[in-house]
Amino acid sequence: MSSHHIIKDDQEPALIIANGASCSMELLAQLLEWSPKVIVLDAAIERVLSLGIKIDVLLGDFDRNFDANYYQNLQDNITIISTPDQNKTDLEKAFDYLIAAQFTAVNVVWATGRRADHNFTNISNIVRYREYLKIVILDDYSKIFLLPKQFKKWYPKDSIISLIPIGVVKGIHTQNLFYSLQDDTLILGYRAGNSNHVASDGIVTISHSEGDLLLMECTD
């Protein structure tokens, strides 16, 4: 895979490659095409280099005798960011780095598909950073992002959509979903909106009055 060579400006989403299950080369290529900065977490570096991806930032706590300088010599102009703070995950520290660099949006791949605790933390952290960074987590089966209070988007019929509350979400209204919600409440661990689908080709509308609601667009 070639380097990410089409760069607009820092308003385009950055790309973080974490250390979960790999996604398809097709998805990676699509994201790299429009990413002005590619950040790789240290535990994923060998897999990323094997794909021939140009890396901008190598970030992590560099534990277990990790030699960051070795990788810096393998590609030109790699920025090495050591983040030894054990109170945050490497993915959280990558978010902090982007916020400090004044990015406002990021796509994240390889953040799901291995350890379940990592999956849960990575997905729920979308909410934690809501005021600073628009985070989208993608894999070959889903695209996950935080919904604004009012959301509208065109979808084809039968597109699978799941609504995932982080905590308690109240006052949910939907239009053009097969299982309609009208002033409903979803509660993590008690009631979620999994595996709904679009009733007909057209605009889907989702609104909520309180809480943090994630939308998962599913392709499986």
Side-chain angles (χ1 to χ4, degrees):
M1 182 179 294
S2 63
S3 64
H4 51 291
H5 58 278
I6 299 179
I7 298 176
K8 290 185 176 181
D9 54 44
D10 284 356
Q11 295 307 306
E12 296 293 337
L15 177 65
I16 296 174
I17 304 178
N19 191 40
S22 301
C23 64
S24 67
M25 298 286 282
E26 179 182 5
L27 176 58
L28 258 182
Q30 291 172 359
L31 296 171
L32 286 166
E33 194 77 3
W34 299 105
S35 295
K37 188 176 290 290
V38 175
I39 301 168
V40 177
L41 304 189
D42 57 7
I45 184 64
E46 290 288 350
R47 288 193 289 156
V48 172
L49 288 175
S50 72
L51 298 175
I53 295 172
K54 176 66 178 73
I55 300 164
D56 295 303
V57 177
L58 174 59
L59 181 147
D61 53 18
F62 304 152
D63 57 358
R64 301 177 184 176
N65 298 315
F66 186 91
D67 185 0
N69 291 327
Y70 166 78
Y71 296 102
Q72 190 170 34
N73 293 329
L74 295 181
Q75 285 190 10
D76 294 332
N77 302 317
I78 296 180
T79 300
I80 303 296
I81 304 293
S82 176
T83 54
D85 182 3
Q86 295 299 311
N87 293 315
K88 290 187 175 183
T89 68
D90 284 346
L91 183 56
E92 290 169 344
K93 289 179 277 191
F95 292 152
D96 292 340
Y97 168 82
L98 287 174
I99 293 167
Q102 298 186 328
F103 278 79
T104 59
V106 60
N107 294 318
V108 185
V109 293
W110 298 15
T112 58
R114 285 189 170 180
R115 282 177 48 177
D117 57 340
H118 290 173
N119 294 344
F120 187 83
T121 299
N122 293 343
I123 292 170
S124 60
N125 269 338
I126 294 175
V127 170
R128 178 178 177 181
Y129 286 88
R130 63 175 303 157
E131 300 297 329
Y132 312 102
L133 201 58
K134 180 180 179 181
I135 300 169
V136 179
I137 294 179
L138 305 103
D139 58 32
D140 290 331
Y141 307 101
S142 56
K143 175 181 179 181
I144 310 166
F145 55 93
L146 180 68
L147 286 179
K149 288 294 191 289
Q150 303 285 335
F151 173 81
K152 292 184 178 182
K153 183 178 176 180
W154 190 95
Y155 289 95
K157 181 181 178 181
D158 294 329
S159 297
I160 301 172
I161 289 177
S162 290
L163 298 177
I164 310 298
I166 302 299
V168 179
V169 181
K170 297 181 179 180
I172 303 171
H173 294 264
T174 67
Q175 295 180 9
N176 198 25
L177 291 183
F178 186 82
Y179 301 106
S180 180
L181 299 175
Q182 300 301 324
D183 199 25
D184 275 283
T185 297
L186 297 179
I187 305 173
L188 183 65
Y190 292 90
R191 187 186 181 209
N194 292 358
S195 297
N196 209 330
H197 62 272
V198 177
S200 61
D201 289 353
I203 296 292
V204 169
T205 300
I206 303 169
S207 64
H208 63 285
S209 60
E210 296 181 36
D212 298 308
L213 187 61
L214 301 181
L215 186 145
M216 183 181 296
E217 299 174 351
C218 304
T219 56
D220 180 23

